[in-house]
Amino acid sequence: MLKTNYTQKNNKKVHDAIMILEEGLIHANPQIGLQQYFFRNKLKSRKSIINLNKFDNVYLIAIGKAADSMAKFVSSKINFTRGIIVIPSKHEPLFHKKNIRVFRSGHPLPNTQSLKAGKHITNFIASTKKNDFIIFLISGGGSALVTLPNMISLKEKIRVNQQLIQCGANINEISCVRKHLSDIKGGKLVEKMPGTGISFVLSDVIGDDLSSISSGLTYADKTTFSDALKIIKKYKIEKNISKNVIAILKNGKNGIIKEAPRKPKFPNIIIGNNKKSLIAMKTKSKKLGYSSDVIFNLNSNVKVEARKIARKLKNSSKSCIIFGGETTVNVLGRGKGGRNQELVLQLSKELRDFPCVISSIGTDGIDGNTKFAGAIVSTINLGQFENFLKNNDSFNFFKKFGGLIHTGPTHTNVNDIGIIIKQNL
């Protein structure tokens, strides 16, 4: 599953690290979480069973990096009239059905296909009837894959997204601003839906905040226009985005534009997350003879998190550290890479005198602006990396010295997973 150009891939601890990461990927598969909710044309909503035969029509709308894998499983269990799947443009759909329309949209930034998908889904939901039922399957990436800007252009929306990603804002902060510039996020997509439905959600957000996963398309919102303005001020990006965007947010703050719904229209159920993958990795590491500590919920800058993980490793009696979450990178250079590759490089810097194997990957198979999932490296005989770090050029470091990990699109997404194994055991 994981392929690497690392020259030490036959090293036992490198091999074990890859096996443990693969276990994390296996448990990121949304089918594992969906199984307990779906039966033959019936589904479970928390404590009750819903018989789908009593509805005039059952529809399926799947949005996100795991949309096709989620829809593939659900379509094998239930009969539905029509369906819509929205996935990243670089993904090949896992399956095809005549009654399913597939959109392949932009990610991490929205594009014209994202706008087309947003308009189509909005119109489709509006055309449904009172006795219709919609099953939503939501996973990370939906914020970019489906867009419908509120009183701003697509170009302006893209510009805001670029600034938020590059300034080091975390996913919750990015989601907050996105929701307040959208006509569909924060539960607005389903606010006026004639019938009812349910949403099954694969979490790519720390803490499983339903209002932040794909910007709460089918949920609700607890943030405000005032919060969005504070985030823009916090990261000092006001001068880099259009005055129109700022005007929209200020109008919302002043009550001219209403906030998103505060309560969800129907149940939204988490079916998988980063924690489940990390626990599976811990179990696998034990089977391979390692004792491990687990660090959950990484969510700040790679430099800060690298220092925290390195300190934990040095002070631990365990043979490995498993970690996960979603770090941020403040992009100052012009290099190529992603947060996982940069985290491995930062950890290598922190642990340069502490022999170990270090790896981190994105469970979606894509790290930053590269086609790789992340990287793996041993701190023994590591080359010079300072200039690569200064230029945010982790990709070219690992391209030169080896260590890039390739999975291809995994059709899932539960944040990032990583491991460090001590060499001197």
Side-chain angles (χ1 to χ4, degrees):
M1 189 184 293
L2 271 66
K3 298 178 181 178
T4 178
N5 65 346
Y6 193 43
T7 55
Q8 295 187 37
K9 59 186 175 183
N10 292 324
N11 176 301
K12 183 181 184 303
K13 290 187 173 59
V14 171
H15 180 262
D16 288 349
I18 290 173
M19 288 184 67
I20 294 167
L21 288 169
E22 286 180 341
E23 190 72 10
L25 277 183
I26 289 168
H27 283 79
N29 186 337
Q31 178 176 330
I32 295 173
L34 287 169
Q35 285 175 341
Q36 62 181 303
Y37 293 101
F38 284 87
F39 314 97
R40 178 54 58 189
N41 231 36
K42 293 180 181 180
L43 60 82
K44 184 168 71 172
S45 174
R46 299 198 172 104
K47 294 182 180 180
S48 62
I49 299 294
I50 299 173
N51 184 352
L52 298 175
N53 293 316
K54 70 179 184 178
F55 295 98
D56 294 338
N57 295 285
V58 176
Y59 298 112
L60 186 67
I61 298 178
I63 302 168
K65 294 179 182 178
D68 52 350
S69 56
M70 294 175 82
K72 183 178 181 180
F73 173 77
V74 172
S75 66
S76 71
K77 295 291 184 179
I78 61 134
N79 300 320
F80 59 94
T81 309
R82 288 168 61 193
I84 301 168
I85 294 175
V86 189
I87 54 175
S89 58
K90 294 180 181 179
H91 287 200
E92 285 293 333
L94 288 176
F95 76 117
H96 296 275
K97 283 200 172 196
K98 290 182 179 179
N99 60 343
I100 292 181
R101 178 168 181 179
V102 178
F103 288 89
R104 297 170 70 187
S105 304
H107 189 276
L109 297 172
N111 60 10
T112 54
Q113 276 297 106
S114 307
L115 184 60
K116 188 176 180 180
K119 289 178 178 178
H120 180 81
I121 292 172
T122 300
N123 292 334
F124 178 81
I125 291 172
S127 72
T128 59
K129 306 301 181 184
K130 189 174 182 179
N131 198 43
D132 291 340
F133 191 91
I134 304 180
I135 300 171
F136 291 91
L137 305 172
I138 305 297
S139 53
S143 298
L145 295 171
V146 176
T147 191
L148 196 61
N150 180 21
M151 295 183 282
I152 63 171
S153 68
L154 177 60
K155 185 177 180 180
E156 287 173 314
K157 186 73 179 286
I158 291 171
R159 179 64 175 167
V160 175
N161 276 304
Q162 286 175 322
Q163 291 298 312
L164 288 167
I165 291 169
Q166 293 176 0
C167 75
N170 64 43
I171 186 63
N172 299 80
E173 292 171 324
I174 294 171
S175 177
C176 173
V177 178
R178 283 171 168 169
K179 282 180 285 191
H180 290 89
L181 296 171
S182 173
D183 256 344
I184 56 176
K185 295 178 173 68
K188 285 181 272 187
L189 177 68
V190 299
E191 186 176 13
K192 297 178 181 178
M193 192 172 90
T196 187
I198 191 168
S199 187
F200 294 96
V201 184
L202 184 68
S203 175
D204 72 329
V205 170
I206 303 303
D208 300 337
D209 179 5
L210 283 161
S211 67
S212 289
I213 303 165
S214 279
S215 296
L217 282 166
T218 60
Y219 190 63
D221 189 26
K222 60 186 178 184
T223 63
T224 65
F225 283 97
S226 180
D227 292 330
L229 284 166
K230 287 176 183 176
I231 291 164
I232 287 172
K233 184 177 180 180
K234 174 184 175 180
Y235 291 100
K236 301 176 182 178
I237 59 174
E238 186 171 353
K239 293 181 181 179
N240 299 327
I241 55 183
S242 78
K243 293 180 180 179
N244 189 30
V245 167
I246 301 300
I248 294 296
L249 296 178
K250 287 182 176 178
N251 282 342
K253 180 182 178 182
N254 295 328
I256 299 171
I257 304 170
K258 75 170 186 175
E259 294 282 2
R262 288 297 184 244
K263 293 182 179 180
K265 188 177 179 69
F266 46 69
N268 282 246
I269 299 171
I270 299 286
I271 57 97
N273 57 20
N274 188 254
K275 184 178 180 180
K276 290 183 178 181
S277 285
L278 297 182
I279 290 171
M281 290 169 66
K282 180 179 175 68
T283 301
K284 182 68 173 181
S285 69
K286 186 176 180 180
K287 289 179 180 178
L288 292 174
Y290 298 99
S291 57
S292 61
D293 277 326
V294 182
I295 302 176
F296 299 100
N297 302 335
L298 301 181
N299 66 352
S300 61
N301 187 272
V302 286
K303 292 181 180 179
V304 175
E305 299 294 12
R307 284 194 287 270
K308 181 170 80 174
I309 296 168
R311 189 163 55 247
K312 179 76 171 178
L313 182 78
K314 291 176 180 179
N315 295 329
S316 175
S317 60
K318 303 294 178 67
S319 51
C320 74
I321 300 290
I322 291 164
F323 54 87
E326 184 169 307
T327 59
T328 61
V329 178
N330 190 4
V331 181
L332 301 174
R334 296 184 178 183
K336 190 175 181 181
R339 59 179 180 262
N340 288 282
Q341 294 165 57
E342 184 140 338
L343 177 58
V344 173
L345 209 52
Q346 289 286 355
L347 282 166
S348 299
K349 177 182 176 181
E350 296 292 332
L351 296 166
R352 55 188 175 274
D353 298 321
F354 198 97
C356 53
V357 172
I358 305 166
S359 186
S360 183
I361 63 170
T363 55
D364 60 355
I366 304 296
D367 189 33
N369 56 2
T370 77
K371 66 178 182 180
F372 296 90
I376 187 167
V377 74
S378 168
T379 51
I380 297 174
N381 299 321
L382 191 66
Q384 298 298 313
F385 44 72
E386 287 292 352
N387 289 335
F388 290 95
L389 281 173
K390 287 178 181 177
N391 198 35
N392 297 114
D393 200 22
S394 52
F395 166 77
N396 280 308
F397 174 89
F398 292 111
K399 183 181 179 182
K400 180 178 180 179
F401 294 102
L404 291 167
I405 292 177
H406 185 267
T407 63
T410 59
H411 301 269
T412 189
N413 183 29
V414 292
N415 301 116
D416 305 330
I417 54 176
I419 185 169
I420 304 179
I421 300 177
K422 295 177 181 178
Q423 289 274 36
N424 296 333
L425 298 178

